[in-house]
Amino acid sequence: MVSFKNRLVWITGASSGIGRELALLLAEEGAHLILSSNDPKELSKVADECREFTSFCQEYPFDLSKPEEVNSTAETVVNTFGNIYLLINNGGISQRSLVKDTPVEIDRRIMEIDYFSYVILTKAVLPGMIEAGEGFIAATSSISGKFGFPLRSAYAAAKHAIQGFFETLRAEAKPHNISVTIAYPGRIQTNISLHAIDSKGNKHGVMDPGQQNGMPARECAKRYIRAIKKRKPEVYIGKSEILMVHIKRLFPRLFFRIVTKIKPT
Ligand SMILES: NC(=O)c1ccc[n+]([C@@H]2O[C@H](COP(=O)([O-])OP(=O)(O)OC[C@H]3O[C@@H](n4cnc5c(N)ncnc54)[C@H](OP(=O)(O)O)[C@@H]3O)[C@@H](O)[C@H]2O)c1
């Protein structure tokens, strides 16, 4: 079984939710951690918790919506620490707005955070992994990466883009002994709906029932790490909502009838 003990792991979106739990679980395993998010204060709290378990935990806050910042942080991290053994692209925001109301600037902002930042960070760590002849790259998608549903147009687009990019990368990286895992969570108990943005870029600010009744973030993180270790190409994590993915694959006509009825909150 793969172990991340004493191996260098970089996690984005580590200040909250799934990323926080990934950080804690990997710290408990003795991984050496680089943690990122955009909120230095919240990130510091998680880093302090992790330091109770691991001897090495560095904080690198930066804004995933700003490509120059993503680029320069990636350069600094790679130049400072060398080869990353596991990169988990996890930071992200969700959306609560109709296509007809959403200006393209909001679509671009969501794509920058939820997709392009993943591309930039992955390209930054890839040469080191190829040189080392080993490595793991993970990307947090969503069941919205398998089907679109109301109020999630840009979010679903970004998550679908993750599949195209990382499936291609998986095929290209395999000869270099680099594993690529895409996680497709359903509804997980995190603050994602609070941080989701509306058509004006304002925070939705509501804990939606979908999140509140979802799978605990720790359970999600456990399954995510297990899938990475098993070098699984993809993993679906959640409760009964995951069924929709299979309904779309097996019974597309039924799926297109019922998708309009999914409660988007
Ligand atoms: N919860 C779910 O039901 C669910 C379902 C499917 C997929 N996901 C995916 O899981 C991932 C983690 O989300 P979560 O559920 O754990 O939500 P969360 O609790 O809101 O955490 C989101 C993380 O992303 C970071 N982030 C957001 N915008 C950022 C920015 N501009 N720059 C840097 N960091 C940023 C946040 O950090 P700061 O706030 O500190 O910047 C936070 O650490 C996301 O990719 C999300 O799409 C979640």
Side-chain angles (χ1 to χ4, degrees), residues 29-218:
E29 187 171 329
H32 291 178
L33 295 177
I34 301 167
L35 304 182
S36 293
S37 88
N38 197 27
D39 179 339
K41 236 168 99 186
E42 287 305 310
L43 191 64
S44 252
K45 286 187 204 161
V46 177
D48 284 344
E49 288 180 89
C50 289
R51 287 186 192 107
E52 288 177 25
F53 303 103
T54 180
S55 56
F56 183 97
C57 180
Q58 300 276 330
E59 301 152 44
Y60 275 84
F62 66 101
D63 189 347
L64 293 172
S65 75
K66 299 199 171 109
E68 326 73 53
E69 249 187 64
V70 182
N71 261 314
S72 63
T73 309
E75 213 179 288
T76 307
V77 165
V78 168
N79 288 341
T80 310
F81 300 107
N83 187 35
I84 305 291
Y85 188 60
L86 163 63
L87 167 68
I88 308 184
N89 288 295
N90 170 76
I93 51 162
S94 190
Q95 178 187 14
R96 296 293 185 274
S97 62
L98 296 169
V99 171
K100 72 177 180 64
D101 301 331
T102 306
V104 74
E105 292 71 29
I106 295 292
D107 296 75
R108 286 190 197 281
R109 182 165 157 203
I110 292 172
M111 287 298 289
E112 234 18 285
I113 296 172
D114 289 354
Y115 174 65
F116 281 111
S117 75
Y118 288 31
V119 172
I120 296 171
L121 296 184
T122 298
K123 288 187 180 194
V125 304
L126 196 56
M129 288 187 181
I130 291 173
E131 205 185 319
E134 60 180 9
F136 293 80
I137 296 172
T140 310
S141 177
S142 160
I143 52 171
S144 307
K146 287 289 176 178
F147 60 86
F149 67 100
L151 307 185
R152 303 287 197 286
S153 51
Y155 183 69
K159 296 300 190 181
H160 275 72
I162 284 177
Q163 177 173 350
F165 181 86
F166 285 94
E167 282 191 353
T168 303
L169 175 66
R170 181 185 304 126
E172 293 179 1
K174 195 167 166 38
H176 300 287
N177 192 30
I178 299 165
S179 304
V180 176
T181 299
I182 306 175
Y184 295 92
R187 287 177 157 166
I188 311 298
Q189 279 170 25
T190 71
N191 288 334
I192 189 137
S193 70
L194 291 166
H195 299 149
I197 56 173
D198 65 16
S199 59
K200 297 195 168 55
N202 296 324
K203 288 196 176 182
H204 176 57
V206 177
M207 174 57 79
D208 286 343
Q211 254 59 61
Q212 193 136 41
N213 302 320
M215 174 182 278
R218 191 160 181 94

Side-chain angles (χ1 to χ4, degrees), residues 8-29:
L8 194 55
V9 176
W10 187 8
I11 307 168
T12 66
S15 64
S16 168
I18 299 168
R20 173 179 179 272
E21 296 301 335
L22 289 168
L24 285 166
L25 286 166
L26 287 163
E28 285 166 25
E29 187 171 329

